[in-house]
Amino acid sequence: MKLKDFSCLLFLLFSFNAIAQTHISGVLVGESGEKLSYVEVYNTSNGSKTSTNKDGVFDVVVANSGTYTFVFYKDSFSVLEQEIAAPASDLVITLNKITNLSEVVVKNEREKIFALHKLKDIEETAIYAGKKTEVIQLDKLTANKATNNARQIYGQVVGLTINESSDGGLQLSIGGRGLDPNRSANFNTRQNGYDISADVLGYPESYYATPTESLEEIQIVRGAASLQYGTQFGGLVNFKIKSPSKKPIEFLTRNTIGSYGLFTNFTSLSGTKGKFSYYTFFNYKKGDGFRPNSDFESKNYFANLNYQFTDKTSVHFDYTHFDYLAQQAGGLTDQMFEQDPTQSNRTRNWFAVNWNLFALRLKHHFDNDADFSLQLFGLDASRKTVGFRPNRVDLPDSGGVRDLIVGDFVNWGAEARYLKKYNFNGNSNAFLIGAKYYQAQNTGIQGPGSSGSDANFNLATAEFPQAPNQSDYKYPNLNFSIFGENIFKLSSKFSITPGFRYENIKTQANGTYRKINLDGAGNVILDETVAESNIKKRDFFLFGVGLSYKPQNGIEFYGNISQNYRSVTYSDLRTVYSSYAISTDITDEKGFTSDIGIRGQINDKIRFDSSVYALYYNDKIGDYWTESQGRPIILRDNIGTAITYGFETMIDWSLSKTFFEQNANLSWNVFSNVAITDSDYLKSEAPGVKGNKVEFVPLFNIKTGTSVGYKNFMSSIQLTYVTSQFTDATNQNVASSSISNGISGKIPTYYVADFSSSYKWKNWKLEAGITNFTDNKYFTRRATGYPGPGIIPSDLRMFYTTLEFIF
């Protein structure tokens, strides 16, 4: 299909005339008659949200005359649900003040709103109808937020596999459905709606993770997000930072101490004055890690500035600065891990990140029930690493030259969205059209690092002129895309949402590398510089469709199928390890994802989401061991066609609402999160791969737990159980040689348990907990490069205590 065909379609869709509009308006007051500003107003029929102005006035546009159910919420007031017949004006609605403001009461009130808010079919200028979506509400969690403990934070998100590390949660590595978790590279990761990874197409790894203490919620949309947010098979992860306080100024500080020298400080300042609002935070972390040579220190600053020109037009600016320095203890062989998982034989390995994110967003609401948003965003960042990283994990570091790799990322982009709601055949429909432009000018160098043991990230070419693995590359990538979706409501209960995405991609790798070969005595027998210019241009369409059927309030059957695509990254074009090789004809990955499920709530007591899914992966890129010139190496190539499929279910049951409904001071929930996943390589030209299981696919991935609260005391306990998984396509159970020892083999079955608690008194809150309280020794990753290579042990038992103060 040609672009001009889409132009005709867009013209027809835009030509829907605005119909006569129906209004519901009024004012919110307290029991004493005082006007209540910034009350949240939810229309439960379509999930739309607005708020009262500073004078307590609200005005909501609805499609037709009739009766609508609205929910009104403001902190310290009881949630009010009320039916209103449209049209209506000059309404006076009264909210009752809550006299008992214990943590449990506040939590229960917020849960009522969360149930309404959780990623509705339409959110601002985005469509989620028919997609598998999950939202993590951070206020509801009793967890170790200071170190971004991913097991607890993502405990109720089904099917996620997690690479754990001991760096205080500075990076997030999540995967799922057979996708490598490393630095969440198979998700499109965003903060407040804009990209935060190094290079969306060329290097989609996330070296920055928004601190959990700053978050309002985390939004996750699985593979069908490919049409709106990019082509990644994993889907979207969006970190939504807290909104500014409605008070003129609000100050919060949290200080955490923990095992192994952990100290963190999180301090935020926010407020609203007239049309201007702001939210800013500073986050400092340092620690020693539970292994030698694993200390870290980080500083993170964020500022959000907003100006509301009118009730319909606003502008928002974000700036993020993040830098950290970490020593890397390296990987272990299987024998070293069994002997002592806390040991390290690497004392000279260092890693540094400097991240600067910029974003400017304009939002406007049109009178004809349409919304427009334009977001400009940019990144100026670098990551540097230096160390001794041979392919023999157990080889002692005798000093001398280290391997230095430096990457600089300079990119910017713009994304525009227009969403129009319109009435057709008596039902409310919605059309979304958008476009994105993205440009990157990134560079990467590799060469000899100094012979010292400090964090020196300067090239030492003069000291080691004939060191191996020397290269200097530029990666000027370019991407332009157009996307659109339309919700067609065929009845009040059933909708179909087709969509498309057009992608135009240009991926380049231009530079030079030095080939230096030595004989057995260490003499140079080859020294030549090779120039490369690798350019890949392509354009294509992706299509998808989602279905939604809501037979009754609170229950939804959903299904979707969507094409996916993953561009080769410049890590796939240029090798950086001596034991690592890349196929010369490696190409992009293609496939699709599909979900069929049921989700909803039963009597406000049970929340659930159960589904079956399939992910079909053609030309899947992966690693497998082979031989080159008589020595074993890891080859990165298009391995073949793979499929992962399974059953995922999450159930959250409120025991307190079921058995102790009269006790407003008690909160007691239990949850069960189960993913049963299988996989197969359907075909492959690589030896010994066809019929194997896909990497990073545990058969059972289970998280279950309970949270209990009474008045101002809250606590939670969670158990995680993950069965074994392969780490390479050849399905090696154990390493086949001394070179691959620690790098290849299974990740064994493991379990881990965590406990957290909190107590609030006036403006103070005390939190404490124990992660991995059974002190289980396990690992979740076999690294092929950073920070190893080898087994990266997970944290042992760790204690933490946090003191929070807010005014």
Side-chain angles (χ1 to χ4, degrees):
M1 187 178 290
K2 299 181 181 296
L3 276 175
K4 65 180 182 180
D5 299 325
F6 278 102
S7 300
C8 296
L9 174 63
L10 297 183
F11 174 78
L12 291 174
L13 288 168
F14 273 122
S15 65
F16 281 110
N17 292 321
I19 62 171
Q21 296 180 346
T22 306
H23 290 255
I24 296 175
S25 61
V27 62
L28 269 294
V29 299
E31 294 169 282
S32 302
E34 73 278 14
K35 295 179 179 179
L36 300 179
S37 60
Y38 309 117
V39 178
E40 295 179 359
V41 181
Y42 293 86
N43 181 352
T44 62
S45 64
N46 59 15
S48 63
K49 170 190 169 184
T50 185
S51 62
T52 61
N53 62 18
K54 60 184 177 60
D55 298 318
V57 175
F58 73 95
D59 185 4
V60 178
V61 177
V62 294
N64 301 297
S65 299
T67 301
Y68 296 84
T69 301
F70 286 86
V71 174
F72 303 91
Y73 171 74
K74 182 178 175 66
D75 283 340
S76 304
F77 288 83
S78 295
V79 172
L80 175 65
E81 183 174 329
Q82 184 168 321
E83 288 188 346
I84 302 175
S89 61
D90 300 325
L91 297 171
V92 178
I93 298 171
T94 304
L95 297 187
N96 296 322
K97 190 84 172 178
I98 300 176
T99 55
N100 175 14
L101 277 175
S102 71
E103 277 287 270
V104 168
V105 171
V106 172
K107 174 178 175 288
N108 288 338
E109 292 297 305
R110 287 176 176 170
E111 280 186 348
K112 296 176 185 177
I113 296 303
F114 174 63
L116 293 169
H117 171 65
K118 184 179 178 180
L119 284 188
K120 295 297 182 181
D121 290 353
I122 300 170
E123 295 263 345
E124 294 187 345
T125 53
I127 288 178
Y128 300 109
K131 299 176 175 62
K132 186 174 181 65
T133 64
E134 291 152 305
V135 178
I136 303 168
Q137 195 80 4
L138 277 305
D139 283 345
K140 294 177 58 179
L141 297 182
T142 305
N144 186 356
K145 300 177 185 178
T147 61
N148 299 348
N149 188 301
R151 286 192 310 271
Q152 294 178 293
I153 303 301
Y154 297 85
Q156 294 194 26
V157 178
V158 292
L160 287 187
T161 50
I162 301 169
N163 278 355
E164 300 175 8
S165 60
S166 58
D167 61 359
L170 298 178
Q171 295 185 23
L172 175 67
S173 292
I174 57 174
R177 299 180 172 182
L179 302 173
D180 189 347
N182 188 37
R183 295 198 180 97
S184 308
N186 285 287
F187 283 95
N188 178 241
T189 53
R190 299 192 175 201
Q191 174 180 278
N192 287 348
Y194 51 86
D195 295 298
I196 62 174
S197 59
D199 182 335
V200 176
L201 291 171
Y203 196 57
E205 299 188 10
S206 297
Y207 288 94
Y208 166 65
T210 312
T212 304
E213 292 169 301
S214 72
L215 293 176
E216 181 176 299
E217 63 185 34
I218 302 172
Q219 303 168 341
I220 299 173
V221 186
R222 294 305 176 100
S226 61
L227 300 184
Q228 284 188 66
Y229 295 101
T231 60
Q232 295 288 23
F233 279 80
L236 167 76
V237 177
N238 182 41
F239 302 101
K240 186 177 178 182
I241 294 177
K242 292 177 180 177
S243 302
S245 170
K246 301 303 182 183
K247 299 184 293 186
I249 184 169
E250 181 178 88
F251 173 82
L252 177 144
T253 184
R254 293 167 54 90
N255 290 279
T256 302
I257 57 173
S259 305
Y260 313 112
L262 176 70
F263 171 74
T264 78
N265 169 267
F266 177 86
T267 299
S268 68
L269 195 67
S270 72
T272 301
K273 184 67 173 176
K275 296 183 177 183
F276 175 74
S277 62
Y278 63 95
Y279 179 83
T280 182
F281 71 75
F282 176 76
N283 187 208
Y284 175 78
K285 294 183 181 183
K286 72 173 182 177
D288 300 326
F290 75 98
R291 301 171 64 197
N293 312 311
S294 58
D295 55 293
F296 61 87
E297 183 178 34
S298 76
K299 303 178 186 68
N300 186 187
Y301 172 75
F302 171 82
N304 162 244
L305 307 176
N306 312 280
Y307 192 79
Q308 192 79 34
F309 289 98
T310 68
D311 290 341
K312 298 177 181 178
T313 305
S314 61
V315 65
H316 312 262
F317 173 76
D318 285 4
Y319 170 66
T320 304
H321 173 74
F322 174 65
D323 72 81
Y324 81 89
L325 176 66
Q327 193 171 10
Q328 297 183 317
L332 305 176
T333 65
D334 289 77
Q335 294 77 15
M336 294 168 70
F337 177 81
E338 291 297 326
Q339 178 188 38
D340 180 11
T342 68
Q343 66 179 297
S344 165
N345 64 348
R346 299 288 177 259
T347 62
R348 303 189 303 140
N349 292 13
W350 294 89
F351 188 82
V353 164
N354 186 283
W355 226 247
N356 293 279
L357 286 160
F358 308 86
L360 180 66
R361 188 180 192 190
L362 171 69
K363 296 195 294 185
H364 180 73
H365 178 75
F366 294 95
D367 286 333
N368 63 344
D369 208 7
D371 290 277
F372 172 78
S373 66
L374 172 64
Q375 187 140 254
L376 308 176
F377 56 92
L379 172 69
D380 183 1
S382 69
R383 63 86 141 138
K384 304 174 182 178
T385 177
V386 64
F388 179 72
R389 285 184 296 270
N391 50 5
R392 281 286 300 270
V393 176
D394 59 353
L395 187 68
D397 184 354
S398 58
V401 64
R402 293 183 289 178
D403 190 28
L404 172 71
I405 302 176
V406 176
D408 289 306
F409 312 103
V410 179
N411 54 62
W412 69 274
E415 185 174 76
R417 290 167 170 261
Y418 176 83
L419 188 143
K420 173 71 172 72
K421 297 176 185 176
Y422 61 93
N423 191 45
F424 182 73
N425 198 27
N427 294 302
S428 178
N429 297 259
F431 167 68
L432 167 70
I433 188 70
K436 181 179 179 181
Y437 177 87
Y438 183 83
Q439 178 176 305
Q441 185 68 40
N442 304 317
T443 61
I445 62 171
Q446 180 176 8
S450 72
S451 58
S453 59
D454 60 341
N456 184 341
F457 298 105
N458 296 314
L459 277 170
T461 310
E463 185 180 359
F464 303 101
Q466 294 176 326
N469 301 331
Q470 297 188 34
S471 63
D472 188 346
Y473 275 79
K474 293 182 179 179
Y475 305 99
N477 297 329
L478 188 65
N479 173 223
F480 174 71
S481 58
I482 301 173
F483 54 90
E485 294 192 33
N486 197 106
I487 299 178
F488 293 103
K489 269 208 166 184
L490 304 184
S491 71
S492 60
K493 298 179 179 180
F494 179 69
S495 68
I496 180 170
T497 307
F500 77 95
R501 187 178 185 92
Y502 168 75
E503 289 276 1
N504 188 294
I505 301 173
K506 183 179 181 182
T507 305
Q508 300 181 70
N510 305 322
T512 62
Y513 68 94
R514 263 179 98 181
K515 291 181 66 175
I516 301 175
N517 295 340
L518 307 178
D519 61 19
N523 300 311
V524 176
I525 57 176
L526 175 67
D527 185 351
E528 65 175 349
T529 299
V530 179
E532 278 189 329
S533 180
N534 195 332
I535 301 176
K536 290 181 178 291
K537 296 181 181 179
R538 55 270 199 219
D539 67 323
F540 52 89
F541 282 101
L542 300 177
F543 297 96
V545 64
L547 305 174
S548 174
Y549 177 63
K550 300 175 182 178
Q552 63 186 63
N553 188 31
I555 301 295
E556 179 186 10
F557 293 90
Y558 65 91
N560 61 75
I561 183 168
S562 181
Q563 289 179 292
N564 297 89
Y565 178 94
R566 190 172 190 266
S567 166
V568 291
T569 68
Y570 53 76
S571 293
D572 301 325
L573 302 175
R574 179 73 254 138
T575 181
V576 294
Y577 309 119
S578 58
S579 61
Y580 204 81
I582 296 174
S583 173
T584 56
D585 58 355
I586 195 169
T587 188
D588 302 325
E589 302 167 303
K590 308 173 186 68
F592 66 83
T593 56
S594 62
D595 297 275
I596 300 175
I598 178 174
R599 60 191 170 200
Q601 293 189 98
I602 301 176
N603 297 327
D604 294 329
K605 297 176 177 65
I606 297 176
R607 182 170 58 91
F608 67 94
D609 188 343
S610 300
S611 64
V612 294
Y613 83 91
L615 190 159
Y616 180 84
Y617 224 132
N618 197 26
D619 295 323
K620 186 179 190 300
I621 294 176
D623 303 332
Y624 64 92
W625 284 88
T626 185
E627 284 197 0
S628 176
Q629 299 178 349
R631 64 185 182 91
I633 63 166
I634 302 173
L635 180 65
R636 188 162 184 79
D637 196 2
N638 296 102
I639 298 177
T641 300
I643 186 171
T644 62
Y645 51 92
F647 169 73
E648 300 173 335
T649 184
M650 205 293 297
I651 300 175
D652 188 333
W653 181 19
S654 174
L655 297 179
S656 56
K657 291 181 180 179
T658 304
F659 301 109
F660 310 99
E661 193 170 6
Q662 301 305 314
N663 193 340
N665 286 311
L666 177 66
S667 172
W668 184 12
N669 286 60
V670 295
F671 80 90
S672 178
N673 171 356
V674 178
I676 305 172
T677 311
D678 204 355
S679 62
D680 290 290
Y681 274 103
L682 302 178
K683 61 181 180 180
S684 175
E685 296 183 3
V689 170
K690 183 180 179 180
N692 285 357
K693 300 301 179 185
V694 178
E695 313 94 291
F696 313 113
V697 179
L699 179 61
F700 292 100
N701 187 342
I702 301 171
K703 299 178 183 68
T704 185
T706 183
S707 60
V708 179
Y710 183 71
K711 292 186 176 180
N712 288 314
F713 175 77
M714 311 287 292
S715 67
S716 70
I717 187 169
Q718 177 179 302
L719 175 68
T720 301
Y721 175 79
V722 181
T723 56
S724 62
Q725 54 191 289
F726 294 105
T727 59
D728 70 281
T730 54
N731 287 184
Q732 295 189 54
N733 284 301
V734 294
S736 58
S737 69
S738 59
I739 291 180
S740 62
N741 194 335
I743 301 173
S744 65
K746 272 188 174 182
I747 296 174
T749 298
Y750 69 89
Y751 69 89
V752 59
D754 304 297
F755 170 78
S756 293
S757 62
S758 71
Y759 181 80
K760 185 173 184 181
W761 179 73
K762 295 184 178 180
N763 293 344
W764 298 85
K765 181 186 283 190
L766 179 66
E767 301 176 7
I770 311 172
T771 55
N772 189 12
F773 62 74
T774 61
D775 205 26
N776 194 21
K777 298 174 176 59
Y778 69 103
F779 64 91
T780 61
R781 182 184 178 194
R782 292 181 183 267
T784 57
Y786 313 110
I791 291 171
I792 309 300
S794 296
D795 285 354
L796 301 179
R797 182 189 293 125
M798 188 185 115
F799 301 84
Y800 74 92
T801 300
T802 301
L803 183 63
E804 174 185 299
F805 175 69
I806 182 173
F807 77 88

